[in-house]
Amino acid sequence: MLKSKGGKKGRESSLTEDKVKALLTEKDAKISALTAEISKLTNALNNSNVAGAGRAVASTTRRQHPLTAFSTTITSTGDGTTQVRSRMGRHASMSSQNVLNALPDEVEDSLAIRIVEMFKDPNKHLAYLKSEQFAMDILTMASRVRPVLEDEPRCIFLQSPCYVFGDIHGNLEDLHFFSDNIWRLGMSLTAGNFLFLGDYVDRGLSCLEVVAYLFAMKLLLPHKVFLLRGNHETRDVNGWEEHYGERSYIHQCRERFGEEVGYRVWEETNQVFDRIPLSAVIDQDIFCVHGGIPRAVSRESRIQDILSVPKVAGINPPYEHETEEYQQVASDCIWSDPASDEQEACGVDPHSGFGESLRGGGAICFGHKAVTNFLQQQGFSYIMRAHEAHAEGVAVSKGARVFTVFSTSKDHNQGSQAMAGCILVDFEKMKVINRSPAYRNKFVHRRDSVSLAGMTEAEIAQRAQLGLVTAAEEPDEDEYEDYEDYDDEEEEYEYLTGATNFQPFTSNR
């Protein structure tokens, strides 16, 4: 423990080694953002000088762009496109040839590539998806991606351009829509970062496929693909089979791989979830999280509070090393919601801006005051979060400062016209991208589709079990009435907090 130089004599500073590292992480991120801003302004000045004087009078800021030894050739086929990687050849001098020959070979990750190929067309990999090999592949990926996520800070700092995605909830169809239209040539060949805000499992029927694909992409592109934790990435939620039935993650693990192997897959992937970061900051201006902003538990900034959360955190239920205060920080990040108009009027503390959530059980909501205080304290402009279903895909609240992103259009009682959305943060601009209800996916089919006419009932049932065949008619609005109603969420949260020690919200008045 470091001794404080100020204050009362002999008082020990709270700057432990972990907190010093957290402070350095935040400061480094600010320096990187300022460096990027300086580079942008310098280039703008140079362009202005060129336009005015016909020549460049100042040097541009140089960036490093390491060369890869391979090129990717895109070929059109009947099923879409194929990619062929080949080593680049020289077109000029022998010195160029020598440089190219000296570039290291890129070793392809055969396991991750196998998962990506499955994702492209699950119908061609039905046997694999129900095999022990698929289970072993998930276990292997989990063991490899676990240290990658643990090594990341609990709040990660990114630069735009960045695509931000909300809840996926085992919906392979909507995830495939984004793949087909945003990273059609693959994430590695698409400019920018990809940020997922959590809730990858439960409610949908393709939880294992979604988890496997996101783990694979994190392994292939660890500095380009970023995952945040949602409330469904906790054992008390994704293990609640009595509530979600066949749509619970633990049920799908056991149903697919058997009791013993299925439980092992569930536990090993939850150990990965324990290490997923809680928040992100884009361009030192946009705070991204699954649920919402946490209440302060120290005299440091809220970002520092998040950075101080243990790198391995169970949350629901907690590990023994998790303190109540930082368990509260993590819980607020994954569970909180913006206050409704009614809550703003009579349920939110006017001093702190926080109040009790309609979910009950100690969960909180945050109002205008809380949003203003947080953004001013951190110097941010916006908050991007997920956690709540919206038929429009993206919703805006709190004076257009809070964006709620929802990236699945199914299983949340939003009707047949619901859209799945994401947001592109493109330097000074933010753009909303939605999936139209009229968009047709090429591998998920309705039960009355002519493409299924030649299949037996057993083959159709097998695909339906994996979420590749949907109902012939859109379900009535009350078919999934227990999924997103607040009465149901209150029951869910009270069930969870019965096994934890969260302190309920108390007013500061």
Side-chain angles (χ1 to χ4, degrees), residues 118 121-126 442-445 455 463 468:
M118 171 278 295
D121 193 346
N123 282 300
K124 293 182 177 179
H125 298 83
L126 293 178
K442 57 190 176 186
F443 70 82
V444 176
H445 305 283
M455 295 185 184
R463 285 165 171 76
L468 301 178

Side-chain angles (χ1 to χ4, degrees), residues 206 222 256 327:
S206 303
R256 191 81 64 88
Q327 188 191 1

Side-chain angles (χ1 to χ4, degrees), residues 281-313:
V281 178
I282 302 174
D283 293 341
Q284 281 295 314
D285 193 49
I286 302 172
F287 177 71
C288 302
V289 69
H290 178 73
I293 53 181
R295 292 165 284 181
V297 297
S298 72
R299 294 184 179 181
E300 306 290 342
S301 70
R302 246 75 68 85
I303 297 298
Q304 284 300 311
D305 288 344
I306 296 172
L307 287 168
S308 297
V309 172
K311 292 210 168 188
V312 180

Side-chain angles (χ1 to χ4, degrees), residues 47 193 409:
N47 291 335
N193 296 310
S409 59

Side-chain angles (χ1 to χ4, degrees), residues 119 165 168 170-181 183 187 196 206 209-211 213-214 407-408 420 435 441 443:
F119 174 78
F165 302 88
I168 298 173
N171 184 346
L172 203 62
E173 182 177 357
D174 283 330
L175 184 57
H176 214 280
F177 159 77
F178 294 118
S179 170
D180 288 345
N181 294 279
W183 60 91
M187 288 184 177
F196 296 86
S206 303
E209 288 79 3
V210 168
V211 167
Y213 178 69
L214 293 178
S407 299
T408 176
R435 173 187 172 175
N441 186 277
F443 70 82

Side-chain angles (χ1 to χ4, degrees), residues 17-85:
E17 182 179 353
D18 287 341
K19 287 191 174 181
V20 169
K21 290 180 178 178
L23 284 168
L24 289 174
T25 298
E26 185 176 11
K27 298 301 182 185
D28 285 345
K30 289 181 178 179
I31 291 171
S32 297
L34 289 173
T35 301
E37 183 71 14
I38 291 171
S39 176
K40 181 177 66 176
L41 292 174
T42 301
N43 289 333
L45 177 62
N46 291 336
N47 291 335
S48 176
N49 289 332
V50 170
R55 58 188 179 88
V57 296
S59 61
T60 59
T61 302
R62 296 193 62 186
R63 298 177 61 186
Q64 295 296 318
H65 295 90
L67 179 65
T68 178
F70 290 86
S71 65
T72 303
T73 303
I74 310 298
T75 303
S76 177
T77 65
D79 296 331
T81 61
T82 60
Q83 300 181 14
V84 179
R85 295 171 70 252

Side-chain angles (χ1 to χ4, degrees), residues 417-489:
Q417 297 305 301
M419 296 186 289
C422 77
I423 296 178
L424 167 61
V425 180
D426 189 15
F427 300 102
E428 293 92 351
K429 295 182 180 180
M430 295 185 292
K431 302 176 183 179
V432 174
I433 303 170
N434 278 326
R435 173 187 172 175
S436 164
Y439 182 89
R440 290 291 172 257
N441 186 277
K442 57 190 176 186
F443 70 82
V444 176
H445 305 283
R446 284 176 37 162
R447 199 172 187 89
D448 56 356
S449 171
V450 294
S451 61
L452 304 179
M455 295 185 184
T456 65
E457 281 299 317
E459 291 173 327
I460 294 175
Q462 183 184 31
R463 285 165 171 76
Q465 187 180 37
L466 299 177
L468 301 178
V469 173
T470 61
E473 299 294 335
E474 289 294 334
D476 294 331
E477 287 194 359
D478 60 354
E479 180 172 346
Y480 300 123
E481 63 182 353
D482 63 328
Y483 282 146
E484 201 59 20
D485 293 341
Y486 269 118
D487 289 343
D488 171 71
E489 295 286 358

